[in-house]
Amino acid sequence: MTKPPRKVVVTQKFFDDEAVAFLRGNDIEVEIATLPDGKTEAQLDIDDMKKLLDGAGGWIVGHANITRDALGALPDLAIVSRRGVGYEKVDTEAARELGRVVTIAAGGNDASVADQVIGMMISAGRRFREAQNAMNGGKWNILVGTDLYRKKVGILGFGRIGRSLARRLQGFEAEIMVCTPRLRDEDINAYGLSSVDFDTLLAESDYISLHAPLTPETRHIVDADAFGKMKPNAVLINTARGGLVDDRALLEALENGRILGAGLDVYESESDPSMKSVTDALIARDDVIAAPHAGASTHEGLARTNMIASVCAVEVIEGRMPPRECIVVDGR
């Protein structure tokens, strides 16, 4: 690939002035894209991308589906810079073969998502939504909830967000169990963890928080069988990826009182519109604390991820290496 154009297109909302100034200060033309009427970033097709990214060497992006065909239609594009940490919507094999770079904003949203998980654990365990809805209806009866203090918390996956969550759980004197293929000795020592298999995590946890990537192996890892192994007072938190949980099975488990509650920031309907009725039923429930895939969306978290994504774009356009922890694919 020839030297990339010094233009970066941003298709994400909430891109702050400091990140724009950083890009411009590095002699980068910045274009904050206006998406086609009625379309979200995830709904952009190849023709949309060609129009939005004409002459761009960098793309700061969130949830667009970036296929081999899309990359082939964007020959000037040197870097796909994700303002986030997931990259399952990018064809990374194609990116490598076509000589492109794919990066993530590693370390930018760990604290924000971990804070959200703690909030969801407490809110679901203490039945805050159910209590407030009852009060709005004139019923001020006390609903007895459950503590997070000194409870058993199971974490599935233990990357940056999982470690950030573990640090917070230490303040609650929680017993932290982790199920992950590779648990480092330094993490066990730092956070007082125990390494467990998935069945043990399901059976013993009072709270379960999911922090695994979505892969063919992890899709529906929490299914009807898994709910059958959980405690009846368990709370499930999913702020990772829709599809890790079988949402139909979750709805059934809640309807049957099989678990106490759930905190959800991601849903199967995000990638499968046929699941919308299931999502609607889940978020309508008193025992579900719901958010619209907003775990990273604090002022501070967005500022961090905007800047990291911008740094990655500048480094690649300049022909240098972006931060190592941010590199998913470097096909140069």
Side-chain angles (χ1 to χ4, degrees):
M1 180 181 289
T2 59
K3 194 170 183 180
R6 302 189 69 82
K7 175 181 175 181
V8 168
V9 173
V10 181
T11 53
Q12 280 279 271
K13 296 179 180 178
F14 313 117
F15 198 74
D16 62 283
D17 292 343
E18 186 174 353
V20 171
F22 171 80
L23 288 167
R24 289 177 175 161
N26 281 276
D27 195 28
I28 300 292
E29 178 188 350
V30 184
E31 182 175 317
I32 309 298
T34 300
L35 302 188
D37 287 345
K39 285 194 175 182
T40 66
E41 201 185 41
Q43 295 168 327
L44 295 175
D45 58 31
I46 293 177
D47 287 339
D48 296 326
M49 294 177 190
K50 288 171 67 176
K51 292 176 184 176
L52 291 171
L53 294 157
D54 182 41
W59 183 7
I60 294 178
V61 62
H63 303 290
N65 292 298
I66 305 173
T67 63
R68 179 181 294 272
D69 288 343
L71 290 169
L74 301 168
D76 291 332
L77 189 68
I79 176 169
V80 174
S81 184
R82 278 276 293 113
R83 191 190 71 180
V85 295
Y87 52 89
E88 70 276 3
K89 291 189 175 183
V90 183
D91 187 333
T92 54
E93 181 180 351
R96 186 186 305 278
E97 292 176 2
L98 293 172
R100 315 303 173 82
V101 180
V102 178
T103 59
I104 58 173
N109 62 14
D110 307 354
S112 304
V113 178
D115 284 356
Q116 184 196 48
V117 173
I118 293 293
M120 285 183 159
M121 286 179 173
I122 294 172
S123 297
R126 295 295 298 271
R127 302 166 69 183
F128 284 168
R129 180 177 180 182
E130 184 181 359
Q132 185 165 349
N133 286 342
M135 292 170 70
N136 286 333
K139 298 178 181 179
W140 283 55
N141 298 334
I142 293 174
L143 301 177
V144 179
T146 186
D147 285 342
L148 179 55
Y149 174 61
R150 290 190 173 176
K151 286 297 188 294
K152 291 185 176 182
V153 179
I155 303 176
L156 177 66
F158 205 66
R160 288 176 293 269
I161 296 173
R163 286 192 289 273
S164 197
L165 174 61
R167 285 195 292 273
R168 286 153 175 76
L169 288 168
Q170 287 179 304
F172 292 89
E173 299 180 28
E175 181 180 337
I176 307 169
M177 300 176 293
V178 174
C179 177
T180 189
R182 298 174 297 277
L183 187 59
R184 304 179 305 185
D185 288 341
E186 54 263 41
D187 288 331
I188 294 174
N189 296 331
Y191 307 116
L193 312 175
S194 59
S195 178
V196 299
D197 60 32
F198 188 50
D199 283 348
T200 300
L201 183 140
L202 292 172
E204 296 189 8
S205 297
D206 300 299
Y207 295 84
I208 297 173
S209 190
L210 307 182
H211 299 283
L214 180 62
T215 66
E217 293 72 31
T218 61
R219 180 173 292 278
H220 284 187
I221 192 169
V222 182
D223 56 9
D225 181 63
F227 287 114
K229 297 174 181 177
M230 291 167 63
K231 293 180 178 181
N233 66 337
V235 172
L236 175 70
I237 309 294
N238 187 11
T239 60
R241 284 293 181 265
L244 291 174
V245 178
D246 181 340
D247 282 355
R248 291 187 192 278
L250 170 58
L251 180 59
E252 183 177 350
L254 292 167
E255 289 174 340
N256 294 334
R258 188 64 194 82
I259 62 173
L260 178 65
L264 303 174
D265 191 38
V266 290
Y267 312 87
E268 286 194 89
S269 60
E270 291 179 85
S271 58
D272 182 359
S274 71
M275 291 291 291
K276 184 177 184 303
S277 62
V278 176
T279 296
D280 290 344
L282 284 168
I283 66 178
R285 294 186 60 84
D286 282 348
D287 50 9
V288 172
I289 306 299
H293 204 147
S297 296
T298 65
H299 292 294
E300 298 84 357
L302 289 170
R304 289 190 295 267
T305 52
N306 286 339
M307 187 58 71
I308 294 169
S310 299
V311 167
C312 290
V314 168
E315 293 301 288
V316 171
I317 288 172
E318 292 285 4
R320 300 189 294 255
M321 289 288 290
R324 184 172 302 277
E325 66 273 15
C326 296
I327 300 172
V328 176
V329 163
D330 189 342
R332 293 176 293 179

